[in-house]
Amino acid sequence: MKQFSTIVRGLAIAALASSSGIALAQATAPAETAVADAASVDTGDIIVTAQKRAERLRDVPMSINAATGDHLKSLGVTSSEQLEKLVPGFTFQRTVYGLPVFFLRGVGFNDTTLGVSPGVSVYVDQQPLPFSAMTRGAMLDIERVEVLKGPQGTLFGQNSTGGAINYIAAKPTDELKAGVEASYGRFNEITGEAFVSGPLTSTLSGRIAVRGERQGDWQRGYTNGDTIGRRRFVNGRAILDWKPADTIRAELVATAWHDTSDTQQPQTVAYTPLLTGPMARPVPFPLATFPVSPRSPRAAAWDPNGDFVRDDRLYHISGRVEVDLSSAVTLTSLTSYADYRQSIPLDLDGTTFSSGVSDDTGRIKTFAQELRLTGDTPSGLKWMVGGNYQHDKVFERLIFDPIITSGTAVGPATFDSYFVDNDQKIESKAVFASLDLPLADRLVLQGSVRYTDQKRDFAGCVRDNGNGQISAALGLLSTIFTGAPQTIPLGGCGTLGANFLPAPIVTGKLNEDNLSWRASLNWNLDSQSLLYANVTKGYKSGSFPTLPAASAVQLRPVPQESVLAFEAGAKLGFGRMLQVEAAAFYYRYRDKQLVGFLVDPVFGPLPSLVSIPKNHIQGAEITATLRPVAGFTLTASGTYVDTRIDRNPINPTGPYGTPSDFVGQRFPYTPRWQGSLDAQYRFPAFADLYAFLGGTITARSSTTGALLSGDPAVAALEAGLKIDGYALVDLRAGIEASDERWRLELWGRNITNKFYVNGVTRNSDFTTRFAGMPATYGLTVRYRFN
């Protein structure tokens, strides 16, 4: 049997490697928790809870990347946006208003709306952070991160079509422990982090962690020499663990963070008036001759009179209670409440003129409750049933002041400032169940199902800010088309509804339900190797947009999207020397949600949510870790993702308002190839000290920031929406005590100062991009008092 298992493992490696055509991939990092068994310690496994129970990473029949908190720090990963260094197939982009959007295997939702449900959901200890803007401080003092690829929803509390990121916070300890860490780097970057953990009574233990970040200006005005880009961020978490009896465990967590950094300013790529001719507003600035930004990471331009300090904060309280009803059955309750507020000022046009300044303000209140029962039997059968409830209130107000473009006028009535309101109330109810059924020795059938019912109420419009400009302009437009005098009150809504009449406010409802499910067949070849095949049906809810809508038709909701995903993979171990993970996947993607354009018969091309009816994704990934000698670890990773649009939406319109044919195009923000190579060597230096050397190379191919129209007349303009491929190099070196109580590390990120882009967009008359960070370098010192 052992010889047979070895042959099968070899065949699986050959087959999956040839199907992907790419090199080895991300491996697991050493476990830090005491729950690992002897085999796990010997092979370097991480214990994960991706299926809501503790098990070795290699035993979970799905594609997962996991890493410890210390490994993340060594890679310079301190926020969700930087997971691209660790997770092949993960991409990040920043919307035109500065909000983060996450993609996995090409699945994500590039919408600017604060209250949109993301394509990749994020959790801390299985407690949801249901909107991407809330995730900024999730990586404080964590034990590990788990990134689950493919549709999720049957096990976690929020449906998503791309995947899920679950951060596991470091827990209170039974003995007194403490640690401090400090870094100093380029641009006068100073970061400090500390924790203290230990018992408070015989049944109660606690842990407190704090982190602060300060940095000087890193962006530089390429026309006037001004600087901007300082960082000010504080983050804290307190955890109490209570164990009043052997069968009862309770945990209370309080988290808070506050970000008062400067917002990153975009780089101008092109100025192209959306409107021309007699309908266009004359712009009182020489925008057409303003120099486009050089391809430099630090280059930017912004209104020198503007205040671009953001004010974002989050308070999050969560509780977890576990009660063992018997030796085989456990009841678990998860409760959380979060309150998030933001103010994100931004210079939209990327010039020094006062022509396009916005402030994306908003507030989120979210409550979630989950109850579940889990159990197992001596025969190996494992089951879970449960339900969850979530209620979200999201209010967003976009403030434009000033905003001067070719379209901010109706005849003689011009408008320079206004509000855009989006008020949503979202209620979700779900029930779920899962079952692991052993079919034979080492052969297991897994199944899970989840029914979700969601109700979403919306109210919003373009609102006059009290100066009467929007009221006059859209009141005049309504008068022209109705033939009767129409007035809009100061401070009132200006969005025009049916028959071009002013609407007091635009309202809408979106009631949806779905049944997501997953089936998996898993074959454990031996204690180190697993083959699996999955079929998963997943959904992501629809939503209403936050747009400067002159017409109510722009505020139509986009319906829920769905993915039917097929995946086959292998997790193969050859002792500690070599570990390989590989997977091939195919997605049938329906009703993909996208921010596009529609041609309004009155207003012309206007931004709006669109739904692309038929698409597909196919690809493969392979991951491996090689440890040829003691102290040396080589990790390589690669992902190939081929995305295709198979059918156009109704009346497809490109980003420049031209009729378009999207069939055959790839999804935006989805590079076809991604890969990374990480190496580290740790060796005895002198006395009780060890030295280490390491480096990471990450690379990706080109992609786009939007679907392209294919119209030759605008081909030169759409070239600005393309994102070139790039490769980044990080290095690290240092010394540490043999017991790892202290560590001194020198590091460099993007040491070649490579220019790269992680966001490009078309906004009214302006095409702009966000550049990645330039070369940074510094020193980190860490000490553990235990």
Side-chain angles (χ1 to χ4, degrees), residues 6-266:
T6 303
I7 293 173
V8 172
R9 290 201 303 270
L11 291 175
I13 290 177
L16 288 166
S18 63
S19 68
S20 64
I22 49 183
L24 304 175
Q26 177 80 37
T28 59
E32 295 186 318
T33 61
V35 296
D37 57 21
S40 298
V41 172
D42 182 61
T43 57
D45 268 325
I46 287 180
I47 302 300
V48 299
T49 54
Q51 299 189 111
K52 294 190 173 178
R53 58 175 178 262
E55 53 192 337
R56 297 188 309 171
L57 177 63
R58 69 178 59 208
D59 293 332
V60 182
M62 65 178 70
S63 181
I64 303 176
N65 286 98
T68 65
D70 284 345
H71 185 54
L72 292 171
K73 288 181 178 179
S74 71
L75 295 178
V77 177
T78 58
S79 69
S80 301
E81 302 169 3
Q82 300 166 321
L83 285 174
E84 189 172 350
K85 292 184 179 183
L86 175 74
V87 182
F90 176 91
T91 56
F92 152 77
Q93 72 96 14
R94 197 178 301 280
T95 72
V96 63
Y97 302 122
L99 294 171
V101 178
F102 308 131
F103 295 77
L104 277 169
R105 292 177 174 173
V107 181
F109 188 27
N110 179 25
D111 188 15
T112 61
T113 304
L114 175 63
V116 67
S117 298
V120 177
S121 52
V122 179
Y123 304 83
V124 177
D125 289 331
Q126 303 176 19
Q127 305 278 12
L129 294 173
F131 303 99
S132 298
M134 306 170 72
T135 64
R136 171 69 171 89
M139 208 171 283
L140 170 68
D141 191 35
I142 64 169
E143 179 183 301
R144 67 183 182 277
V145 62
E146 304 168 5
V147 181
L148 290 66
K149 300 177 182 178
Q152 304 297 321
T154 59
L155 294 177
F156 285 90
Q158 181 176 346
N159 280 330
S160 61
T161 43
I165 303 170
N166 188 28
Y167 294 103
I168 289 80
K171 301 300 186 292
T173 52
D174 294 332
E175 298 178 352
L176 180 62
K177 295 186 177 182
V180 295
E181 182 176 302
S183 294
Y184 180 79
R186 190 185 182 191
F187 307 118
N188 288 320
E189 178 188 10
I190 300 173
T191 63
E193 186 171 330
F195 79 91
V196 59
S197 174
L200 302 175
T201 70
S202 60
T203 60
L204 184 67
S205 57
R207 186 182 185 104
I208 296 177
V210 294
R211 179 179 175 86
E213 302 176 8
R214 294 177 64 90
Q215 179 186 281
D217 293 344
W218 70 274
Q219 289 190 285
R220 184 168 51 209
Y222 61 90
T223 61
N224 56 16
D226 288 350
T227 60
I228 198 172
R230 73 161 198 167
R231 184 165 75 239
R232 299 290 187 272
F233 178 73
V234 292
N235 194 7
R237 178 188 293 129
I239 304 177
L240 289 176
D241 274 359
W242 184 42
K243 299 177 182 177
D246 292 340
T247 58
I248 301 175
R249 298 167 297 280
E251 181 178 84
L252 179 65
V253 183
T255 301
W257 57 261
H258 191 197
D259 191 351
T260 54
S261 307
D262 291 342
T263 54
Q264 181 179 346
Q265 299 304 307

Side-chain angles (χ1 to χ4, degrees), residues 690-750:
Y690 277 75
F692 61 89
L693 300 170
T696 305
I697 301 174
T698 57
R700 53 184 278 184
S701 60
S702 62
T703 184
T704 63
L707 294 177
L708 306 180
S709 68
D711 185 347
V714 296
L717 302 176
E718 292 187 330
L721 295 171
K722 295 180 180 179
I723 300 174
D724 294 335
Y726 57 84
L728 305 178
V729 181
D730 298 349
L731 295 177
R732 58 189 181 270
I735 57 174
E736 63 183 359
S738 58
D739 59 2
E740 300 184 0
R741 288 189 62 180
W742 65 267
R743 178 186 179 100
L744 178 67
E745 178 179 339
L746 293 168
W747 48 265
R749 322 285 188 213
N750 186 17

Side-chain angles (χ1 to χ4, degrees), residues 639-661:
T639 296
Y640 171 78
V641 179
D642 181 29
T643 59
R644 283 290 184 272
I645 293 176
D646 300 320
R647 184 183 300 169
N648 280 318
I650 298 174
N651 299 323
T653 305
Y656 287 84
T658 57
S660 307
D661 181 6

